[in-house]
Structures are given as structure tokens and as C-alpha cells.
Amino acid sequence: VKVTRELRGHHRAAIIAAAARLFRERGVEGVGVAEITRAAGLTHGAFYGHFASKEALLAESLAEALRVSCEQLSASGDLAAYAEGYASHAHLRAPGSGCPIATLATEVARQGPQVRTAFAQGTRKFFDIAGTMEGDRTSAVTCLAQLVGAMVIARAVDETDPALASEVLACCTTKQPVARRD
Amino acid sequence: VKVTRELRGHHRAAIIAAAARLFRERGVEGVGVAEITRAAGLTHGAFYGHFASKEALLAESLAEALRVSCEQLSASGDLAAYAEGYASHAHLRAPGSGCPIATLATEVARQGPQVRTAFAQGTRKFFDIAGTMEGDRTSAVTCLAQLVGAMVIARAVDETDPALASEVLACCTTKQPVARRD
DNA sequence: TGTACATCAGTGAACGCGCGTTCACTGATGTAC
DNA sequence: TGTACATCAGTGAACGCGCGTTCACTGATGTAC
């Protein structure tokens, strides 16, 4: 069932989009190639016509998710404004469309070079943008590290100890020395 | 091959210790029951005489790792001193004996209630200790979130972009508003 | 433009593998006398 | 204290399952004339 070149391109993009969401929601090992292709409206057999392996798809979907994150950061205009959206319950509840660093960084550390390189490049760009926006690069880096850590911790404890989750997130947006802007 | 009650206790502790190390090094899904029991000097068949499931072992090993972390935090006496050890390359290179929050928090968020509860209880104790030590609880929480985020990011990018890894870690120990103590 | 055919994107069955888990068996432990 | 036996911790083969990956096949696409 050959399809148009244009449709083939859409299929490829759909697989990457589905993977970027599902990997963030369930982790790399928590979702399979079959489920990703199904979410993209295809069957698993079509997968290897688009990607060399599951790992290659992971690398591409990480790059895509980080590219979007960089866009969102740039669009927010102000690091404090970005932090407010980041350290929110809306973001906590929507990992599939949220920061890929907070959802996938620990798994990335155990992947092959292709994945780690894609992740590191996207993350560096993300930090560079934040540093330029903030002016003081050190405080920008500090802020981002805090945001990522707070979200990672909050998501892990939220269902059992929502008070702790809220407390950790709140530290990122209240008039703290680091995240303060005005 | 029945063994002494005392030896059985040692076997159980050895399985937990091996799991606490291996889970942190390779992730929950990156290591199997067979490998854990082998690392503890047993065969996989002995496992289910000690634990109901792999998940039950994960809950116990998380509780144990967090208990040790709380001890280390208390022993450091000062949150700034703890932060210095935490944000070090030695810690980055030794995930198996390091902070379980930085290695396992994202996977914990996708586990069952037993695991999440064990993790949340240990993490709360950890934060409570830090809050008491520091005096100002908010700045203690801020500091810990930053430490966890920095380590998660640094480990993910270290092999591809060691400069970025070092930069992120350095933010936690230099005379930053948040981590400063003196 | 119309036609014939080579190309190739997608399908679904099949594969090999590793994993968590079970279980019949073994033989040392610990206890009842 | 010594003996006989029930208990049970550990062994290793076996299981079912889901996963990543492969491949023969299908039929629409795109191209050469």
C-alpha cells in the first residue's frame, strides 16, 4: 500500500510526535514500537521504513521535544514568566507535552551515544537561550536546575504527598533570590 | 539447601543492598531479578522466598536508600556542606551509592502505590531533616530541588558535553543566594 | 495526455530473546522426644 | 546430650508473555514511453 511522498512525510512526523508524547508520559521502556506506530495511525511493520531502530526514534523525538521547549522558552520572553508556567500543576499533570528534561533525563543517561548527543545538544541550546534572556547566565542555570529538580520530585511524590509536591513547586515561583526577576 | 535463620537474614539484606545499588545504576527496568540475586550471591529461584515481587523489592530498596541518604544528610551537619558533596563529580560518577531521588524519581512516578508511598515517605523525611538543619525551610527545599535537578541534568549531558555538566553542578556550590550559608 | 510497468510504503505473521514468575526437588536446619 | 524427622531456604529447569525486529506480500504511486 504505497502512499504519496507527502503522506509518507506526514506519517514520519506523526510517529515522531506520538513518540515524543508517549516517551515523556511513560518512559522509554514503558512504551513499545507497536503502540507508538498505532498512535500515529500505522501498524508496527511500517516503523522500520522510517527509522533504523527504536533508539534512533528516541534520538529524533528528543531533539524535536527540546526544539519545542526552546521555542516556548524564547516565546515566554522572561525567565521568571517561563518558570511560573513550568512550576505549575498544569505542567505537572501534562508530562506528555511538558519539559523532556524532567521526564527523560535519567533514562537518557543510560542510552547510547546517538541519544545522549541529541539530548545534550538540545539541552545546551535550551540553557544558552535562558542565559541570553536572563543576562546573568549563572542565575539562569541555577533557575533551570531548580525547575527541573522541583518537577522531578513533585511528580514522584504528588499522588502520595501532594502537599510536599506543591511545596517544592512553590519554591520556584515565590520571591526567592534565584527565581526573582523584578 | 536450608540455611541458618541468621544467614537467611543476611541473604535478604544482601538482595536489598544489591538492588539499591543496581536500580540506581541502571534503572528499574534496566536490571532483572536474576542479576540482583546473583549480585547477592544467590540464584533467582531464591528471590520469591524473600519478596512478593520485583516491585516489592523496589519499594524496600528505595526505603533503604533514602534512609541512608537521611543519615548522610544529618551527619553532614550543615546543608551547604551536604550540597558540596552532592554537587560533586564523585557523586556524578557513583550513582549506585548516590542520591536515589536523582536516579529513580522519574521512574518512581510511573510505579504502583507501594513504591510511590515508600519513596514519598523517605523523601519527606529527607526534606524535613534539611528544613530543620537549615532553619529556613523554604530555602532548604529550594536548595534540594536545585541539587537534584543539577545532578539529573549533569549526568544526562556529561559524556557529550562535560562543560555543561560541570557548569550546572558548579551553580550549586558557588556563592549563590540560595545555597549560600555563611 | 494516456498507458504499462517498476517502485516501494504499509501490512501482518513470524522470529528470537529476555524477563518475571512458578515449582518439583534437595539437603541442611532446628525441634520433639 | 543424642537421635529421628519435619521444616523450609535455596536450586535450576520451565512457563508464558511482551518486546524489538524481520520479511514475504500487497497494491497504490510515480515514471518512462
Side-chain angles (χ1 to χ4, degrees), chain A:
Chain A
V1 190
K2 191 179 181 181
V3 300
T4 303
R5 269 197 289 268
E6 187 188 9
L7 186 53
R8 173 172 157 82
H10 288 154
H11 286 167
R12 187 174 206 278
I15 293 173
I16 291 175
R21 176 174 61 82
L22 289 168
F23 283 151
R24 278 179 283 186
E25 284 177 358
R26 313 231 209 103
V28 176
E29 315 200 29
V31 64
V33 166
E35 187 172 5
I36 293 168
T37 48
R38 209 181 310 126
L42 299 168
T43 59
H44 67 274
F47 182 81
Y48 293 90
H50 288 283
F51 303 96
S53 63
K54 185 188 180 186
E55 192 178 5
L57 171 63
L58 173 59
E60 287 217 44
S61 55
L62 274 173
E64 168 62 13
L66 286 164
R67 194 187 57 72
V68 172
S69 290
C70 286
E71 277 183 9
Q72 292 170 343
L73 174 59
S74 295
S76 68
D78 184 294
L79 191 56
Y82 183 77
E84 201 168 334
Y86 195 109
S88 68
H89 277 76
H91 183 198
L92 183 144
R93 278 185 242 105
S97 58
C99 175
I101 303 176
T103 41
L104 295 169
T106 54
E107 283 187 88
V108 164
R110 302 177 203 115
Q111 299 289 326
Q114 188 187 9
V115 171
R116 290 202 312 266
T117 300
F119 183 87
Q121 286 177 353
T123 300
R124 170 163 279 281
K125 193 162 217 169
F126 188 72
F127 274 75
D128 288 349
I129 292 170
T132 304
M133 279 172 51
E134 182 71 0
D136 179 5
R137 179 173 171 101
T138 298
S139 80
V141 173
T142 302
C143 177
L144 292 182
Q146 186 186 335
L147 287 173
V148 169
M151 184 53 67
V152 163
I153 294 165
R155 287 211 180 103
V157 305
D158 186 46
E159 290 191 52
T160 301
D161 193 340
L164 182 57
S166 295
E167 187 187 8
V168 173
L169 289 183
C171 285
C172 298
T173 51
T174 47
K175 58 277 162 267
Q176 276 301 110
V178 168
R180 181 170 48 187
R181 190 70 178 81
D182 45 279

